[in-house]
């Protein structure tokens, strides 16, 4: 509520000066409203939503009959090594030369997009990616490669244990 103080002080005569009106604004109601709004927004706002990727995990029981055969020419195997490096090859291990790559737009992402196009042109089907983290890779590498799978829109990929010949190949490249 605003008030206007127009009370006059004693008139002693002399010059008549214009009266200055003093104003006083009662801010109590506005402060109450401000705290109500702050409380409302604090209770109803979500600051940071967790971001999680949906990941389908296989069943616990070992059913060998549910497995699908995938041609080796349609598979790309990615080995996660140390120092944020990746080694990948197409097909079966030892039959094609592995390539060392890194994460990022010009690294594995470009390779994935190129290989998707090659496999699609050759077989008419989608590529299957096998991800094999080594003992020397870190959790960040796994998250990065799953992000690359989402960015490149690869629908079929699996995470499996790395084998001894692949560990030897990583050691040969200095990535283990």
């Amino acid at each position: 509520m605003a008030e206007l103080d127009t009370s006059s002080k004693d008139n002693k005569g002399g010059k008549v000066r214009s009266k200055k009106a003093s104003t006083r604004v009662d801010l109590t109601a506005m402060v109450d409203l401000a705290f109500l709004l702050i409380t409302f927004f604090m209770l109803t706002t979500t600051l940071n939503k967790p971001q999680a990727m949906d990941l389908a995990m296989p069943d616990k029981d070992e059913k060998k009959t549910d497995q699908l055969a995938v041609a080796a020419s349609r598979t790309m195997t990615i080995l996660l090594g140390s120092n944020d490096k990746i080694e990948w090859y197409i097909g079966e291990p030892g039959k094609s030369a592995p390539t060392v790559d890194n994460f990022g737009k010009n690294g594995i992402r470009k390779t994935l997009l190129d290989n998707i196009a090659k496999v699609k042109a050759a077989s008419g089907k989608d590529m299957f990616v096998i991800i094999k983290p080594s003992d020397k890779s870190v959790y960040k590498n796994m998250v990065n490669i799953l992000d690359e799978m989402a960015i490149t829109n690869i629908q079929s990929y699996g995470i499996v244990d790395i084998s001894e010949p692949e560990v030897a190949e990583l050691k040969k490249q200095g990535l283990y």
Side-chain angles (χ1 to χ4, degrees):
M1 301 294 252
E3 284 181 16
L4 185 62
D5 186 15
T6 58
S7 65
S8 64
K9 297 183 179 179
D10 55 7
N11 291 333
K12 295 182 180 176
K15 284 186 170 179
V16 177
R17 297 184 177 203
S18 65
K19 295 181 181 176
K20 294 183 179 177
S22 68
T23 58
R24 181 175 167 255
V25 177
D26 187 14
L27 299 176
T28 306
M30 198 163 77
V31 170
D32 287 345
L33 182 64
F35 277 107
L36 278 174
L37 287 173
I38 288 171
T39 305
F40 172 76
F41 287 117
M42 285 175 55
L43 295 177
T44 59
T45 302
T46 302
L47 297 178
N48 190 8
K49 292 182 179 179
Q51 297 174 349
M53 175 184 279
D54 293 331
L55 192 62
M57 300 297 287
D59 292 334
K60 295 267 183 193
D61 53 337
E62 297 284 330
K63 290 182 180 178
K64 299 289 183 188
T65 59
D66 291 346
Q67 295 181 353
L68 296 174
V70 178
S73 61
R74 286 182 42 218
T75 61
M76 177 179 174
T77 304
I78 298 174
L79 308 175
L80 303 179
S82 62
N83 299 327
D84 298 334
K85 293 287 184 185
I86 296 171
E87 185 175 308
W88 63 268
Y89 58 88
I90 299 286
E92 297 177 24
K95 293 187 177 179
S96 62
T99 305
V100 177
D101 216 339
N102 56 6
F103 291 96
K105 185 172 73 175
N106 293 325
I108 192 68
R109 188 177 311 162
K110 185 175 184 308
T111 303
L112 285 170
L113 292 173
D114 291 344
N115 287 333
I116 288 170
K118 286 179 188 173
V119 168
K120 190 79 169 179
S123 66
K125 295 181 179 178
D126 292 333
M127 184 174 70
F128 188 81
V129 177
I130 302 170
I131 302 168
K132 295 184 175 185
S134 70
D135 293 339
K136 301 296 181 185
S137 65
V138 293
Y139 181 73
K140 182 183 111 184
N141 297 142
M142 191 67 198
V143 172
N144 286 343
I145 199 68
L146 291 177
D147 285 344
E148 295 296 334
M149 295 295 123
I151 291 169
T152 56
N153 199 20
I154 293 178
Q155 300 296 319
S156 302
Y157 58 92
I159 303 168
V160 285
D161 292 332
I162 195 166
S163 63
E164 282 301 318
E166 291 164 335
V167 170
E169 183 64 35
L170 283 176
K171 285 180 181 175
K172 193 165 71 176
Q173 298 289 338
L175 302 178
Y176 192 81

